[in-house]
């Protein structure tokens, strides 16, 4: 018993000393102007610890800092405003940074303080480009660094901080009434979804929205993308979901994007059983063994985007990389925006759209969509 | 390092091909609505030829079939498998009847081996557009008439 306790105590003392040794006490704030993975710890080598994708404009109080073996930095931030709230670790590559660093915290008087490149004296950071964020449990590349050293930061002046953060969030926010509790479970009659009918969903779809209507991490990614510019206005516009959600115009923006999140979940179910690595073939053999055409182009992933990178090149930057759920969501949301919503069409089209299940909406998607209580 | 050289070579190839490309013209293309006449109906959507398509560098026919109206070659590394790359050729030809023929070939190579190939050929005549599409062992046509 003693032999077990002594190493624990020793380890605890050493760790405490080690963790506090590098604490500068100066870093206090972060601001993200691009999408970043929010992780539950400072291990940036895998995807399993990603709990949310933080959207542009998210600000938070820095509560810890980790110096990684590569020399790069991980910041733990406390986010109190926006669609994803809580504590998250975000990655800062000092040589090829996604963040701007600030010498001073943002205040009412000085919401955009002077930039600095010195991470040790930085008091606030801001991302300067979108980062290819990946969801949990997907095999994709990520910065190869492991947790090494954590420096705790004393929270002080927290009220002024939160106030400044909230004000800036208000300024950059795309949609006025985004949910702050998307991940909260809603049981029974408060659930977003009614009981499944004839068409059930794959277990894998729970990462988007489970059968209790609880939005999962991939669903939050989809939600956040639709809430960002330039999509927010299109996806919350009048009748955007068409007949898939008859009460759409009575919903607030958060509810509208929840309904849309269920739409993408349902479409992923019909296209791929929510498998982000599904290959959608081009042909099949009929009963007589004759090869018949199924799709003119091989598809890939949750929403059957073109697998051949050349064949989707004309779609632009949004579809450059579909190797992650984030990339697939971005490409699909962009296709929906450009081929339907920007042209004054709704989600429900019988021809000219990208997705077959959308064309066959009444038989394929409607049984799912009718479960969304706030739509019917 | 090898990857960087490969990327540079890819960029060089694309740049060279595009700079050497000569844009063709679809000035004789008849505008209006083209409706399915024969072929595999579920992959042959009706479509409209607009005035702007006559000067476009890229057109989409029947919902699925896109062609560049110039000679071009592309090689892009796969975003899904680092051992694979996608090749594409676009060509503009004229057949024996004097009809414009747009050709597009897409191939995927993995570790130097051909994994898949698609050949798509659109023939443009007065009042009629047809596509012959070969993919995954299937070979079918779509014919639309104005």
């Amino acid at each position: 018993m003693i032999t077990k306790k002594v190493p624990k105590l020793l380890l605890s003392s050493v760790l405490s000393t080690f963790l506090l040794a590098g604490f500068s006490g100066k870093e206090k704030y972060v601001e993200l102007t691009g999408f970043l993975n929010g992780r539950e710890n400072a291990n940036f080598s895998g995807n399993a610890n990603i709990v949310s994708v933080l959207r542009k404009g998210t600000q938070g109080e820095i509560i810890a800092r980790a110096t990684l073996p590569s020399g790069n930095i991980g910041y733990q931030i406390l986010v109190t405003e926006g669609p994803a709230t809580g504590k998250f670790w975000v990655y800062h590559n000092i040589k090829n940074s996604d963040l701007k660093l600030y010498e001073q915290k943002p205040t009412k008087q000085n919401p955009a303080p002077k930039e600095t490149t010195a991470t040790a004296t930085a008091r606030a950071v801001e991302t300067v480009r979108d980062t290819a964020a990946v969801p949990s449990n997907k095999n994709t590349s990520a910065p190869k660094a492991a947790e090494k050293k954590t420096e705790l930061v004393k929270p002080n002046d927290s009220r002024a901080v939160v106030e400044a953060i909230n004000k800036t969030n208000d300024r950059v926010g795309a949609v006025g009434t985004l949910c702050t509790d998307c991940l909260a479970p809603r049981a029974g009659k408060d659930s977003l979804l009614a009981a499944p009918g004839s068409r059930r969903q794959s277990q894998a779809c729970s990462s988007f929205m489970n059968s209790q209507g609880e939005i999962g991490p991939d669903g939050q990614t989809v939600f956040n993308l639709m809430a960002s510019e330039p999509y927010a206005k299109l996806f919350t516009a009048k009748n955007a979901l068409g007949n898939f959600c008859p009460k759409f115009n009575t919903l607030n923006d958060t509810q509208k994007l929840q309904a849309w999140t269920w739409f993408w979940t349902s479409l992923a179910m019909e296209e791929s059983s929510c498998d982000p690595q599904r290959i959608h073939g081009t042909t099949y053999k009929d009963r007589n063994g004759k090869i018949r055409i199924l799709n003119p182009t091989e598809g890939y992933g949750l929403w059957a985007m073109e697998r051949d990178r050349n064949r989707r090149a004309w779609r632009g930057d949004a579809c450059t990389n579909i190797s992650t759920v984030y990339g697939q969501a971005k490409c699909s949301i962009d296709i929906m925006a450009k081929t339907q919503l920007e042209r004054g069409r709704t989600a429900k089209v019988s021809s000219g759209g990208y997705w077959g299940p959308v064309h066959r909406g009444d038989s394929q998607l409607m049984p799912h969509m009718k479960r969304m209580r706030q739509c019917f | 390092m090898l990857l960087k050289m490969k990327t540079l070579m890819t960029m060089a190839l694309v740049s060279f091909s595009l700079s050497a490309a000569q844009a063709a013209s679809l000035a004789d293309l008849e505008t209006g609505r083209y409706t399915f006449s024969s072929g595999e109906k579920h992959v042959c959507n009706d479509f409209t030829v607009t005035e702007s398509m006559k000067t476009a560098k890229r057109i989409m026919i029947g919902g699925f079939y896109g062609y560049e109206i110039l000679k071009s070659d592309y090689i892009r590394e796969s975003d899904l498998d680092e051992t694979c790359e996608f090749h594409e050729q676009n060509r503009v030809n004229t057949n024996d009847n004097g009809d414009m023929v747009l050709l597009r070939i897409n191939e995927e190579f993995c570790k130097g081996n051909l994994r898949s190939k698609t050949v798509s050929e659109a023939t443009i005549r007065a009042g009629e557009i047809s596509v012959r599409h070969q993919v995954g062992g299937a070979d079918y046509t779509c014919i639309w008439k104005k």
Side-chain angles (χ1 to χ4, degrees), chain A residues 38-245:
Chain A
R39 296 169 185 266
E40 64 182 358
N41 54 48
N43 185 346
F44 298 94
S45 60
N47 304 322
N49 63 344
I50 297 172
V51 290
S52 186
V53 177
L54 304 176
R55 68 172 188 167
K56 282 183 181 179
T58 302
Q59 288 194 340
E61 180 184 1
I62 296 175
I63 52 178
R65 191 178 76 173
T67 303
L68 307 170
S70 61
N72 293 320
I73 308 290
Y75 288 111
Q76 189 185 28
I77 60 172
L78 175 63
V79 180
T80 57
E81 190 75 11
T85 58
K87 294 177 182 177
F88 306 100
W89 282 92
V90 293
Y91 184 76
H92 172 51
N93 184 330
I94 59 171
K95 287 185 180 173
N96 185 20
S97 183
D98 294 331
L99 305 172
K100 279 183 186 173
L101 303 178
Y102 294 107
E103 287 180 350
Q104 298 175 346
K105 64 183 179 183
T107 62
K108 283 180 187 175
Q109 294 75 25
N110 186 15
K114 186 182 173 186
E115 288 180 45
T116 179
T117 55
T119 56
T121 57
R123 298 169 72 92
V125 299
E126 174 185 358
T127 59
V128 293
R129 66 162 177 260
D130 288 356
T131 298
V134 293
S136 56
N137 304 320
K138 307 295 183 292
N139 296 321
T140 52
S141 59
K144 289 181 181 175
E147 185 172 5
K148 184 185 177 187
K149 189 169 84 174
T150 304
E151 300 163 359
L152 300 178
V153 176
K154 289 177 186 171
N156 54 15
D157 252 357
S158 59
R159 282 186 187 173
V161 173
V162 171
E163 193 180 335
I165 289 167
N166 289 348
K167 282 191 178 301
T168 309
N169 278 348
D170 288 342
R171 216 170 44 240
V172 300
V175 176
T177 54
L178 290 177
C179 65
T180 54
D181 61 344
C182 294
L183 295 167
R186 298 153 187 260
K189 66 179 183 181
D190 292 330
S191 168
L192 289 176
L193 298 177
S198 56
R199 296 184 88 87
R200 291 176 179 269
Q201 71 177 51
S202 155
Q203 182 60 35
C205 296
S206 295
S207 67
F208 291 89
M209 191 183 284
N210 67 18
S211 55
Q212 282 76 50
E214 186 180 353
I215 293 179
D218 292 339
Q220 190 71 61
T221 296
V222 171
F223 184 104
N224 291 354
L225 275 166
M226 291 186 293
S228 68
E229 293 301 339
Y231 304 117
K233 283 183 183 173
L234 292 167
F235 282 85
T236 57
K238 191 178 176 185
N239 295 327
L241 254 176
N243 292 347
F244 289 133
C245 185

Side-chain angles (χ1 to χ4, degrees), chain B residues 43-76:
Chain B
V43 285
C44 308
N45 294 346
D46 293 350
F47 62 98
T48 301
V49 172
T50 60
E51 200 62 40
S52 63
M53 285 172 71
K54 296 169 78 169
T55 54
K57 290 180 180 173
R58 181 184 184 282
I59 63 167
M60 179 67 88
I61 294 172
F64 301 101
Y65 312 98
Y67 306 89
E68 288 194 353
I69 319 301
L70 73 170
K71 180 185 175 187
S72 61
D73 294 86
Y74 302 98
I75 299 175
R76 287 188 172 91

Side-chain angles (χ1 to χ4, degrees), chain A residues 279 282-284 290-298 300 306-315 319-324 328 352-354 359, chain B residues 40 42-43 45 58 60 64-66 74-81 84 86-88 104 106-108 110 115-116 118 133 135-138 140:
Chain A
I279 292 178
T282 53
T283 56
Y284 67 98
K290 186 182 176 187
I291 296 175
R292 308 299 298 263
I293 185 70
L294 192 61
N295 296 301
T297 306
E298 196 173 50
Y300 184 81
E306 293 109 332
R307 187 170 173 281
D308 187 323
R309 205 175 191 183
N310 283 321
R311 296 190 72 88
R312 66 183 131 85
W314 68 279
R315 297 191 184 279
C319 294
T320 298
N321 189 328
I322 59 166
S323 63
T324 63
Q328 292 177 20
Y354 183 81
H359 292 171
Chain B
E40 295 283 344
H42 71 288
V43 285
N45 294 346
R58 181 184 184 282
M60 179 67 88
F64 301 101
Y65 312 98
Y74 302 98
I75 299 175
R76 287 188 172 91
E77 290 171 16
S78 173
D79 50 338
L80 307 173
D81 183 341
C84 301
F86 294 107
H87 295 208
E88 180 176 308
R104 176 172 179 160
N106 288 91
E107 297 167 310
E108 181 184 10
C110 295
R115 179 191 171 274
S116 63
T118 306
H133 196 76
V135 59
Y140 65 93

